[in-house]
Amino acid sequence: MLIAGNWKMFRGPDPEALAGLDAIVCPPYTRLADCVAAGLTTYAQNVHWEPEGAFTGEISAPMLLELGVAGALVGHSERRQLFGETDAGVARRAEAALAAGLGVIACVGETLAERDGGHTADVLVRQTSVAFDGLRGEALERVVIAYEPVWAIGTGRVATPEQARESHQLVRATLDRVTGAHSGARVPVLYGGSVTAANASALFAEAEVDGALVGGASLDAAAFFRIATAAAAG
Ligand code: PGA
């Protein structure tokens, strides 16, 4: 089981309060160094595809490595919806991060309108295949996918374990197809969207769920520890 906490644009808990936590933390850029110094496995919330250049507001993979950061989220739905990130841009970010030696947690997921319109499968196949088309070799070992239905993020409305299973199976099958390897079985597929200490165990009981990407509940150190404990038990 793999647990990651996405602090978004919140200051988050004191890194010292998370000592001993078996999880990845994704703090805002200003807190990356503190989290690394506290010994936490630390991922950025995004990464640019170029090593440097005139890209105001962006941070590159070599810059993250210099800080001791271990990886980055890419393609979070807030980036896609609020900041215009495209499937192709997400693919470039993932490729650059992996080429630099970072880990990547790539987020995929459908909106409510897409689900209601019967387009969930199309969206998951497109987002997964564009992000990892042609990826080969050792870099696959550093890939994690987070299935995050947009309608479940920050809404208190969590996907059922059955909905997660169906989506995770599709993501794995798509990965197998585009990477030409049996990577789908090896790449961890996390569920994200309104995960709490109260609902985590039921999700972790589903064999297709390899862990969770936690937003709001990761801002509360005690709640985040409880989710990590549920993961260790599940
Ligand atoms: P949430 O966010 O747990 O607050 O729903 C999840 C995410 O956006 O990664």
Side-chain angles (χ1 to χ4, degrees), residues 4-8 73 76-78 107 146 148-150 152-157 191-196 213-219:
N6 174 13
W7 298 0
K8 310 192 180 188
L73 298 179
H76 190 278
S77 61
E78 286 151 16
C107 305
E148 296 207 308
V150 178
I153 294 179
T155 59
R157 184 177 164 199
Y191 168 78
S194 295
V195 175
T196 63
L213 178 56
V214 184
S218 74
L219 295 172

Side-chain angles (χ1 to χ4, degrees), residues 49 73 100 123-125 133 135 143 145 170 181 196 199 208-209 216:
W49 52 81
L73 298 179
V123 171
L124 296 181
V125 168
D133 191 22
L135 183 66
V143 171
I145 296 194
L170 185 58
T196 63
N199 62 28
E208 280 286 332
V209 173

Side-chain angles (χ1 to χ4, degrees), residues 172-183:
R172 287 187 212 282
T174 305
L175 262 186
D176 278 349
R177 187 167 54 74
V178 299
T179 63
H182 294 297
S183 54

Side-chain angles (χ1 to χ4, degrees), residues 35-150:
C35 289
V36 170
L40 299 169
T41 304
T42 306
Y43 275 39
Q45 295 175 15
N46 206 356
V47 57
H48 196 261
W49 52 81
E50 292 292 341
E52 63 178 7
F55 301 104
T56 301
E58 295 282 338
I59 308 280
S60 72
M63 292 168 177
L64 294 174
L65 284 167
E66 196 181 348
L67 275 182
V69 167
L73 298 179
V74 296
H76 190 278
S77 61
E78 286 151 16
R79 300 296 320 168
R80 295 179 191 262
Q81 294 207 304
L82 304 174
F83 301 99
E85 289 200 11
T86 61
D87 292 332
V90 173
R92 293 180 78 185
R93 291 176 191 273
E95 188 181 8
L98 291 169
L102 291 170
V104 158
I105 301 176
C107 305
V108 299
E110 80 287 0
T111 63
L112 188 58
E114 288 163 344
R115 176 163 283 267
D116 288 346
H119 303 304
T120 299
D122 295 347
V123 171
L124 296 181
V125 168
R126 191 194 72 232
Q127 291 181 341
T128 306
S129 57
V130 175
F132 295 114
D133 191 22
L135 183 66
R136 297 284 185 276
E138 177 276 333
L140 273 166
E141 311 289 329
R142 284 179 279 115
V143 171
V144 173
I145 296 194
Y147 167 59
E148 296 207 308
V150 178

